[in-house]
Amino acid sequence: GSLVAAVLEHSGHLDKEHLGAHVGRLSRREEVWTMMNNKYSEFLPSVQNREDLVTEVEGLCMDIDLLKAAIENEVQQDLNVAFTEFTELKQQLERDSVVLSVLKKLQEFDTAMKESSAALLEEKYMPAAQRLEKARSSLRNVESHRGFELKIPKALRKELTVQEQNVIYQLGKEWQRLIVWKLPRSKGSSGLEDALLSELRLHTLPPQGQDTAGPPVAAVLQALAVLGELHYKLKDFGQLLMEYILKPLISYPSLEPVTEEQPDVFILRFRSQELALDESSPMKVFDKIKLIFEVLHKYLLNVPLEEPGKGGQDGRVTLAELLGELLWEELSNCLIHSCLVHSVPTSSSQLEQYKEVIESTKEFEKALKEIEFLKQDKTALLKYACNVNFHFANKKCQDLIKAARKLMTSEIHNTVKITPDSSTALPELPSPGSGDHPRTHRPSNLLDGGTVNLGSERSLSKSTLSLPTCRISSSVQQLVELAYNTMEEAKTSTKFCCLQLCNCVRDIFYVFCEVVPKYHRENLQKLPQLAAIHYNNCMYIAHHLLTLGHQFRYLSAVLSDCGGTFVDAVPDFKKLGMECFLAQMQVQKQGVLDRLWSARNFSNMDDDENYRAANKSIKQVLHQLKGLGTVWQDVLPVHVYCKAMGTLLNTALAEIVTRITALEDISAEDADRLYSLCKIMVDEGPQVFTPLLEEDKNKKYQEEVPVFVHKWMTFTELMLILRANLQEIVDRWADGKGPLAEQFSAAEVKSLIRALFQNTERRAAALARVK
């Protein structure tokens, strides 16, 4: 019954009887027993029998090996043949199974396509869409079998696409019937006019007198969802809803939504109200948008849909959820930037009133969540509204920087006069011991006028912390007032707002350092008066920055967080003013030197043409200085004015002295004419010192010219040399101790003597005495 016996029986190649004879010989156990008995029991010698038996056993072993080899050879051949046949049968079975599966799927595809076509003819869009999906699944299964080449899937795919487009086209017509937009045609009209011409009609109301367990709108929407077209339809609908309904409601306060329900249609349009506010109130805007979504939810958005992988249980979602996913981000951004941002308070006193906006925002989001338009975890509007301190601080700082920049870019030449007795209109500041947040205030003791109260019985002079009389730009005065008012408001704000406002004040002054020099660069370079005013402006700001932090020392904790007091900015402003004014001084110096260059080195003054050229250059220099003195008059502080004019006049005198002392030959006529030119400078030079408008008050400064002009005495000594004889020169030298020695070196005096006098013994003696 074994497999080997069956194979051997079937093969017919082995002799069964011959095999049995060999096996029978192996079963002669009696002979073996007798031999063993004779050897071990009877102790009979049996060597011969043993050798015979060994020979016989060896023969039997060989027979066994031959038999085994014959069996293995025959069985292996038959097994190989059987295995090959079995493999071929298995492959054939698999091919037949694949063919059968493909044929089954093709049958399912054909059935689904026929059922879809029949359902479409009967306007049963949901079954039509479902059967299309079934057909698509069957076709996808057919195409998934690799190695099974069929030409028919391409034709089936084309047929499926055509049928799908037919269904989508019919659904699109149904969508257009259900949702009708009436939009303005003209593109040149304003947004408000477009909104008034816009209208939305929803034909989603069920016909009266009919059972509407499954309303047609639900079937259309579900069919669109099954075919994957609902997303695109909703996206187009949402864009139109945003552009022609929601955005106009947010942007134009005068718009009012009007709803009308007729027997078979719902209509949404707008009307315009007069006397509306310029900016939309968040509460009113929220109410209008809630009305829009409530009516849309009632007539359209409450339709439940099956969306696998979305929504809650069993993948069911509403149209409101899908539309919310598409619109909420854009809608919330629009509400924030076009509505809520305008409602952010502009002063600390309005922060309390903003609670109404926060509460209204909370109710608005709650209403949208109830109709499932908004998910529970979406709170963008409420977060923005609740973060009012941050937005208030940012808006306040933006407004301050904007106002400050406007002042910085205004005309510099519009000035106001500042005197030690003048008082700037600054806010009242607390007394030194009134605490961090004082209730009572009194005028600051650290302004331009009045004595400075140090918190003790002793007081400083009025002029200790006062600016000298000068003119500054009115815009800069307003800028400093803006800084004081901002610091005043900071003390009544929250800690965060206070920190932001203090930082903003610091930023205002930093912006000044960047904007003003660049914006007014050309005028500051060309117009000396504006350069002087800018210098005063910088010193005025630096003056106030010295004490600004001290006056608001009850904000010390906040000030330390924003970089400490404002004293660190004082050097920057002083440097800014000085650089501008020194650059203008350099321009004026170069102008003086350029005019003196045409004097032809003051040589050969006996030549009338040379004399006229030198005389002209002297008068041009004086004209330049007088003009400069006029534009700086009543602008610069007196001490700055005198120092600046003295520096420029000194430049002219030094250049003249250098040119004359460099001459190698000066005739008597040349000396007389040089003296007359120098006398012009001495007579008219002091007249350039007119720092004040009152002429009689300027005499004091004109008499003090030697104080401001370093080379004045040198110049007068040069004039004396031009008219003096050798003895007078030697007397004024006085062995290096006289007034001449204080102004000129021995080499310079000797050079002048050689140029003025001929080579005589008297000149040699005079030269010998000048050591």
Side-chain angles (χ1 to χ4, degrees), residues 54 410 423 460 469 562 595-596 608 628 718:
V54 169
S410 61
S423 178
L460 295 176
T469 301
C562 69
R595 287 169 174 80
L596 290 175
D608 291 340
L628 195 60
L718 177 63

PDB file of all heavy atoms in Angstrom, residues 54 410 423 460 469 562 595-596 608 628 718:
ATOM      1  N   VAL A  54      30.646 -15.540   6.198  1.00  0.00           N
ATOM      2  CA  VAL A  54      31.089 -14.169   5.921  1.00  0.00           C
ATOM      3  C   VAL A  54      30.990 -13.876   4.425  1.00  0.00           C
ATOM      4  O   VAL A  54      30.542 -12.822   3.989  1.00  0.00           O
ATOM      5  CB  VAL A  54      32.527 -13.946   6.430  1.00  0.00           C
ATOM      6  CG1 VAL A  54      33.100 -12.627   5.916  1.00  0.00           C
ATOM      7  CG2 VAL A  54      32.544 -13.966   7.951  1.00  0.00           C
ATOM      8  N   SER A 410       9.205 117.003   8.089  1.00  0.00           N
ATOM      9  CA  SER A 410       8.642 118.327   7.832  1.00  0.00           C
ATOM     10  C   SER A 410       9.774 119.337   7.692  1.00  0.00           C
ATOM     11  O   SER A 410      10.947 119.034   7.922  1.00  0.00           O
ATOM     12  CB  SER A 410       7.689 118.723   8.958  1.00  0.00           C
ATOM     13  OG  SER A 410       8.379 118.776  10.193  1.00  0.00           O
ATOM     14  N   SER A 423       9.016 128.080  28.651  1.00  0.00           N
ATOM     15  CA  SER A 423       8.523 126.816  29.221  1.00  0.00           C
ATOM     16  C   SER A 423       7.821 126.039  28.126  1.00  0.00           C
ATOM     17  O   SER A 423       6.904 126.546  27.486  1.00  0.00           O
ATOM     18  CB  SER A 423       7.559 127.084  30.379  1.00  0.00           C
ATOM     19  OG  SER A 423       7.060 125.872  30.899  1.00  0.00           O
ATOM     20  N   LEU A 460      19.380 124.718  42.766  1.00  0.00           N
ATOM     21  CA  LEU A 460      20.388 125.218  41.846  1.00  0.00           C
ATOM     22  C   LEU A 460      19.868 126.456  41.132  1.00  0.00           C
ATOM     23  O   LEU A 460      18.676 126.765  41.160  1.00  0.00           O
ATOM     24  CB  LEU A 460      20.750 124.149  40.825  1.00  0.00           C
ATOM     25  CG  LEU A 460      21.418 122.891  41.378  1.00  0.00           C
ATOM     26  CD1 LEU A 460      21.618 121.892  40.247  1.00  0.00           C
ATOM     27  CD2 LEU A 460      22.741 123.218  42.032  1.00  0.00           C
ATOM     28  N   THR A 469      19.646 130.726  24.721  1.00  0.00           N
ATOM     29  CA  THR A 469      18.680 131.230  23.753  1.00  0.00           C
ATOM     30  C   THR A 469      19.096 130.842  22.338  1.00  0.00           C
ATOM     31  O   THR A 469      20.243 131.055  21.931  1.00  0.00           O
ATOM     32  CB  THR A 469      18.569 132.758  23.849  1.00  0.00           C
ATOM     33  OG1 THR A 469      18.168 133.112  25.172  1.00  0.00           O
ATOM     34  CG2 THR A 469      17.555 133.292  22.855  1.00  0.00           C
ATOM     35  N   CYS A 562      14.156  98.251  29.121  1.00  0.00           N
ATOM     36  CA  CYS A 562      14.250  98.760  27.749  1.00  0.00           C
ATOM     37  C   CYS A 562      15.558  99.499  27.511  1.00  0.00           C
ATOM     38  O   CYS A 562      15.672 100.327  26.616  1.00  0.00           O
ATOM     39  CB  CYS A 562      13.062  99.659  27.410  1.00  0.00           C
ATOM     40  SG  CYS A 562      13.049 101.239  28.281  1.00  0.00           S
ATOM     41  N   ARG A 595      38.160 132.244  -2.045  1.00  0.00           N
ATOM     42  CA  ARG A 595      38.087 133.662  -2.395  1.00  0.00           C
ATOM     43  C   ARG A 595      39.448 134.354  -2.226  1.00  0.00           C
ATOM     44  O   ARG A 595      39.822 135.232  -3.002  1.00  0.00           O
ATOM     45  CB  ARG A 595      37.022 134.348  -1.558  1.00  0.00           C
ATOM     46  CG  ARG A 595      35.603 133.980  -1.999  1.00  0.00           C
ATOM     47  CD  ARG A 595      34.534 134.442  -1.017  1.00  0.00           C
ATOM     48  NE  ARG A 595      33.191 134.203  -1.526  1.00  0.00           N
ATOM     49  CZ  ARG A 595      32.582 133.024  -1.488  1.00  0.00           C
ATOM     50  NH1 ARG A 595      33.208 131.984  -0.946  1.00  0.00           N
ATOM     51  NH2 ARG A 595      31.368 132.881  -1.979  1.00  0.00           N
ATOM     52  N   LEU A 596      40.164 133.967  -1.185  1.00  0.00           N
ATOM     53  CA  LEU A 596      41.495 134.552  -0.980  1.00  0.00           C
ATOM     54  C   LEU A 596      42.503 134.053  -2.013  1.00  0.00           C
ATOM     55  O   LEU A 596      43.553 134.679  -2.220  1.00  0.00           O
ATOM     56  CB  LEU A 596      42.002 134.233   0.430  1.00  0.00           C
ATOM     57  CG  LEU A 596      41.272 134.963   1.573  1.00  0.00           C
ATOM     58  CD1 LEU A 596      41.785 134.486   2.911  1.00  0.00           C
ATOM     59  CD2 LEU A 596      41.431 136.476   1.441  1.00  0.00           C
ATOM     60  N   ASP A 608      48.314 147.845 -10.278  1.00  0.00           N
ATOM     61  CA  ASP A 608      46.900 148.172  -9.995  1.00  0.00           C
ATOM     62  C   ASP A 608      45.988 146.953 -10.164  1.00  0.00           C
ATOM     63  O   ASP A 608      45.040 146.753  -9.400  1.00  0.00           O
ATOM     64  CB  ASP A 608      46.433 149.297 -10.910  1.00  0.00           C
ATOM     65  CG  ASP A 608      47.101 150.620 -10.574  1.00  0.00           C
ATOM     66  OD1 ASP A 608      47.613 150.745  -9.434  1.00  0.00           O
ATOM     67  OD2 ASP A 608      47.116 151.518 -11.441  1.00  0.00           O
ATOM     68  N   LEU A 628      26.763 135.142   6.183  1.00  0.00           N
ATOM     69  CA  LEU A 628      26.654 133.999   7.087  1.00  0.00           C
ATOM     70  C   LEU A 628      26.223 134.455   8.480  1.00  0.00           C
ATOM     71  O   LEU A 628      25.401 133.794   9.139  1.00  0.00           O
ATOM     72  CB  LEU A 628      28.002 133.293   7.147  1.00  0.00           C
ATOM     73  CG  LEU A 628      28.016 131.891   7.749  1.00  0.00           C
ATOM     74  CD1 LEU A 628      27.119 130.953   6.952  1.00  0.00           C
ATOM     75  CD2 LEU A 628      29.442 131.341   7.787  1.00  0.00           C
ATOM     76  N   LEU A 718      51.096 142.510  12.335  1.00  0.00           N
ATOM     77  CA  LEU A 718      51.556 142.540  10.957  1.00  0.00           C
ATOM     78  C   LEU A 718      51.317 143.914  10.351  1.00  0.00           C
ATOM     79  O   LEU A 718      52.174 144.447   9.616  1.00  0.00           O
ATOM     80  CB  LEU A 718      50.846 141.456  10.135  1.00  0.00           C
ATOM     81  CG  LEU A 718      51.183 141.415   8.645  1.00  0.00           C
ATOM     82  CD1 LEU A 718      52.664 141.094   8.433  1.00  0.00           C
ATOM     83  CD2 LEU A 718      50.297 140.402   7.925  1.00  0.00           C
TER      84      LEU A 718
END
